[in-house]
Amino acid sequence: MSSKTSKSKHSGPSTLGKLYLIAYNGIQTLGWSYLLLQTATFFLNRGKLEDFWNEIKWTVIIFQNAALLEVVHSAIRLVPSNVIVVFMQIFSRVFLVCGMLLATHSATVSPGLPLCVIAWSITEIIRYAYYALNLVNFVPQILLFFRYSTFLILYPIGITGELLCMYHSLDEVVEKQLFTVSMPNTWNFIFNYYYFLVFYMSLYIPLFPYLFGHMLKQRRKMLGDDTKKTA
């Protein structure tokens, strides 16, 4: 994650840096809100799954890839987040968009796509709104609670959607030999995208508990006092 995921001793960005982060997080909040509105409108109007990606494609491409800036924010210490954790959280989504949804038709008609988009949208609206308001020290208690609670449901839904999209694309990847390099070739190099995807999907098994556990720790840190008060 890009901005403040926990309370820390980080002195905070400069005035210019703070203005930039407020603008960045504000724009992202609006972008993901628009995506959620697009999604709700599409399905309320009984849109067909095979047409869903064309409806939301550019919104997803723009605002999901813009999240790569969060890795830069962490790397240059504009925010106090761990750059490795940020990269792992951002990479899976960017890879799904660029490596699956833009490369295969099968992924775009997978039932996993709506799951991803809905989970991502709600998560990001809350997350970016929290970051923006936190920069001006005005975070409503209810937003703080949602920021560190909704992931309990939305994170597994999003992961399930991502895996479904990748799973449904496997046959197409094999059939079209997408991004696959066979021997012989000038570089004496071989790469099979299908096997890479199978391996990549298997990484969700160890990485999901790690990232989910990270969020649970953040939840205990940020909501711990409130939990004790209500216990």
Side-chain angles (χ1 to χ4, degrees):
M1 308 201 172
S2 69
S3 302
K4 299 181 179 180
T5 57
S6 65
K7 296 176 182 177
S8 68
K9 297 180 181 178
H10 186 260
S11 59
S14 64
T15 300
L16 184 60
K18 181 177 289 189
L19 290 173
Y20 162 74
L21 288 174
I22 291 172
Y24 171 80
N25 290 307
I27 291 171
Q28 285 283 60
T29 303
L30 293 174
W32 286 100
S33 297
Y34 177 63
L35 178 58
L36 185 60
L37 177 62
Q38 281 184 300
T39 301
T41 302
F42 180 83
F43 286 109
L44 287 174
N45 289 332
R46 300 183 180 182
K48 296 181 179 179
L49 180 58
E50 54 264 33
D51 299 322
F52 182 47
W53 175 241
N54 287 331
E55 181 73 17
I56 63 167
K57 177 169 67 174
W58 285 108
T59 308
V60 173
I61 291 171
I62 292 169
F63 291 101
Q64 186 56 73
N65 285 314
L68 287 170
L69 289 171
E70 300 183 34
V71 180
V72 178
H73 298 165
S74 298
I76 65 176
R77 305 307 298 163
L78 186 61
V79 296
S81 304
N82 183 300
V83 66
I84 296 176
V85 173
V86 172
F87 177 79
M88 287 192 297
Q89 291 174 327
I90 298 299
F91 177 79
S92 66
R93 294 185 183 183
V94 173
F95 175 76
L96 185 71
V97 173
C98 298
M100 292 283 91
L101 295 171
L102 291 178
T104 69
H105 173 71
S106 303
T108 66
V109 295
S110 167
L113 180 58
L115 293 179
C116 288
V117 172
I118 292 170
W120 292 356
S121 297
I122 297 173
T123 297
E124 299 299 54
I125 291 167
I126 294 170
R127 187 169 72 97
Y128 286 117
Y130 170 81
Y131 289 156
L133 292 174
N134 196 39
L135 286 164
V136 295
N137 298 314
F138 186 70
V139 178
Q141 191 64 29
I142 188 66
L143 181 59
L144 178 67
F145 176 78
F146 283 149
R147 168 69 184 95
Y148 291 100
S149 298
T150 53
F151 78 91
L152 294 169
I153 297 174
L154 296 176
Y155 202 30
I157 291 175
I159 292 295
T160 300
E162 291 174 26
L163 287 172
L164 282 173
C165 286
M166 285 185 277
Y167 173 77
H168 282 96
S169 72
L170 291 177
D171 287 343
E172 184 177 346
V173 169
V174 171
E175 180 182 346
K176 296 181 178 179
Q177 289 293 288
L178 291 174
F179 307 131
T180 295
V181 180
S182 302
M183 293 286 283
N185 58 70
T186 305
W187 303 279
N188 289 321
F189 171 78
I190 187 171
F191 177 76
N192 189 295
Y193 194 49
Y194 171 83
Y195 290 119
F196 170 79
L197 287 177
V198 172
F199 171 72
Y200 179 77
M201 291 169 68
S202 72
L203 291 179
Y204 276 67
I205 298 173
L207 290 180
F208 172 75
Y210 172 77
L211 294 173
F212 195 77
H214 172 76
M215 287 302 301
L216 286 175
K217 290 178 182 178
Q218 295 302 315
R219 185 176 193 272
R220 286 193 293 269
K221 182 180 292 186
M222 300 301 290
L223 302 181
D225 292 340
D226 292 335
T227 303
K228 291 176 182 178
K229 289 177 183 177
T230 56

